[in-house]
């Protein structure tokens, strides 16, 4: 089977490419900067930009399955129209090109959305992208994930750096909100199944989550324990996300344009609608502590953590 993989230079795409190749599929990547695509298993790279639609027809030609792993996390108001407009423009062009190419299945990885309450702007944008892609192919699959626990996951790395670098951990009011983080290894298996399983008969939206339900405060505590450090928690009665995200980004060395939207999504519970994806694709889920330990070990192969 011929597979087009966008986002092949990212954490998820780089891990998915070799799994697809090992399963016997021919993997073609699509990227603005082909030199950044170094994952094993990629047979060819087409240079292009989904925002402008350049080379999309070339990239999708002959593809049976296309993975859409493109996300824009820039804060609203930056660039041409903000990230929501950029995401809608990019997915619109991709969906049209997929239909022209007759792609049978499109697979998308988005984020969990709250069961009640208003989702943050970046989560709302993910839903809009999902809806566009579910209409783009007869067997389209959209997966919604919580925080991904992996050595190259930017949300996980942000939390680790925060615990590592501050002597006192400030926990805003969203600390009691709940979610179910998922191991990056499990996310890759979900994506592999979503692209190759014969159990998909039509457009389908599934939630993918780990087996452990935790508050964000508990997640930070699990990371602290794995890092073997003492970090007292300061429980704050407010969030002040616009200010807190800038401070947190400075401490962790991250881009405020990424951290702001991420922290906005913490204001509500982000829980899966059900767990049927694991049964459908035969994925055995890793427990949270095992996921954190594995991610830290893999991280330390290239970058020692001062806290360890």
């Amino acid at each position: 089977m011929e597979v087009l993989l966008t986002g092949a230079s990212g954490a998820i795409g780089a891990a998915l490419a070799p799994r697809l190749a090992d399963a016997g599929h021919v993997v073609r990547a699509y990227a603005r900067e082909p030199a950044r695509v170094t994952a094993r298993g990629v047979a060819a790279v087409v240079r292009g930009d989904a925002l402008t639609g350049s080379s999309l027809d070339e990239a999708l030609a002959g593809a049976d399955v296309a993975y859409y792993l493109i996300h824009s996390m820039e804060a609203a108001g930056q660039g041409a129209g903000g990230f929501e407009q950029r995401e809608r423009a990019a997915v619109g062009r991709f969906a049209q090109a997929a239909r022209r190419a007759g792609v049978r299945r499109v697979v998308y990885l988005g984020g969990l959305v709250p069961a009640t309450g208003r989702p943050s702007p970046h989560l709302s944008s993910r839903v809009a992208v999902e809806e566009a892609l579910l209409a783009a192919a007869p067997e389209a699959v959209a997966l919604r994930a919580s925080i991904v626990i992996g050595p190259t996951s930017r949300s996980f790395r942000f939390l680790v750096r925060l615990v590592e670098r501050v002597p006192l951990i400030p926990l805003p009011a969203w600390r009691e909100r709940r979610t179910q983080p998922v191991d990056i290894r499990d996310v890759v298996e979900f994506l592999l199944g979503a692209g190759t399983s014969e159990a998909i008969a039509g457009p389908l939206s599934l939630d993918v989550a780990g087996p452990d339900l935790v508050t964000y405060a508990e997640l930070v505590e699990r990371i602290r324990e794995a890092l073997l450090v003492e970090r007292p928690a300061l429980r704050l009665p407010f969030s002040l996300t616009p200010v807190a995200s800038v401070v947190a980004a400075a401490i962790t060395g991250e881009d405020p344009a990424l951290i702001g939207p991420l922290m906005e999504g913490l204001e509500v519970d982000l829980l899966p609608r059900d767990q049927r994806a694991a049964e459908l694709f035969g994925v055995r889920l890793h427990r949270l502590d095992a996921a954190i330990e594995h991610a830290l070990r893999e991280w330390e192969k290239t970058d020692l953590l001062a806290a360890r």
Side-chain angles (χ1 to χ4, degrees), residues 282-303:
V283 178
R284 295 182 61 185
L285 299 170
H286 291 85
R287 302 301 299 263
L288 178 57
D289 288 339
I292 292 172
E293 286 288 349
H294 177 266
L296 293 176
R297 284 197 306 271
E298 291 298 305
W299 185 343
E300 288 197 305
K301 289 180 180 179
T302 57
D303 182 15

Side-chain angles (χ1 to χ4, degrees), residues 135-226:
E139 297 177 8
V141 182
L143 302 180
R144 298 178 177 181
S146 178
I147 292 176
V148 176
I149 306 296
T152 52
S153 164
R154 291 182 73 180
S155 55
F156 175 70
R157 290 175 71 91
F158 163 71
L159 291 174
V160 171
R161 289 301 192 198
L162 194 62
V163 173
E164 183 184 39
R165 295 176 178 178
V166 297
L168 184 68
I169 302 176
L171 294 176
W174 44 253
R175 63 184 174 272
E176 297 304 323
R177 295 300 185 181
R178 303 169 298 159
T179 193
Q180 290 179 227
V182 58
D183 193 311
I184 192 171
R185 294 171 291 180
D186 299 337
V187 174
V188 170
E189 292 306 308
F190 279 122
L191 286 167
L192 180 66
T196 62
S197 173
E198 296 181 359
I200 306 300
L204 185 63
S205 175
L206 297 166
D207 290 350
V208 295
D212 295 291
L213 189 156
V214 293
T215 65
Y216 291 108
E218 289 169 342
L219 174 58
V220 170
E221 177 65 11
R222 299 281 189 98
I223 293 172
R224 185 202 63 76
E225 290 177 350

Side-chain angles (χ1 to χ4, degrees), residues 236-252:
L236 303 173
F238 48 78
S239 291
L240 293 179
T241 294
V243 175
S245 62
V246 174
V247 175
I251 292 171
T252 59

